[in-house]
Amino acid sequence: MHAVIGDRLVIHGKHVGEAERHGEVLEVRGAEGSPPYLVRYDDGHEGLLYPGGDCEIEHATSSS
């Protein structure tokens, strides 16, 4: 998994009815875009994330 600053993360619920979590990558601490990522979730919480199989990245698009 590779991310850059500004990418969005979606963490899917592991159980039926569990809500998804959404956040933005603020900092990439691994080499060449690899985890861990410092993420600000939509509820304002920030944390270090080592994404698992329930996580997907929505890559930011550049306006060039």
Side-chain angles (χ1 to χ4, degrees):
M1 181 171 285
H2 297 282
V4 297
I5 294 171
D7 283 351
R8 299 277 303 162
L9 296 173
V10 179
I11 303 171
H12 301 285
K14 293 181 181 180
H15 305 285
V16 174
E18 189 175 33
E20 293 182 335
R21 295 185 72 192
H22 298 260
E24 179 182 352
V25 176
L26 300 177
E27 186 177 317
V28 177
R29 295 195 178 173
E32 298 178 13
S34 61
Y37 307 123
L38 181 62
V39 176
R40 179 181 299 127
Y41 297 96
D42 289 351
D43 65 2
H45 173 79
E46 292 183 9
L48 197 58
L49 175 71
Y50 290 85
D54 58 344
C55 182
E56 65 182 285
I57 296 176
E58 298 173 346
H59 296 286
T61 57
S62 60
S63 57
S64 45

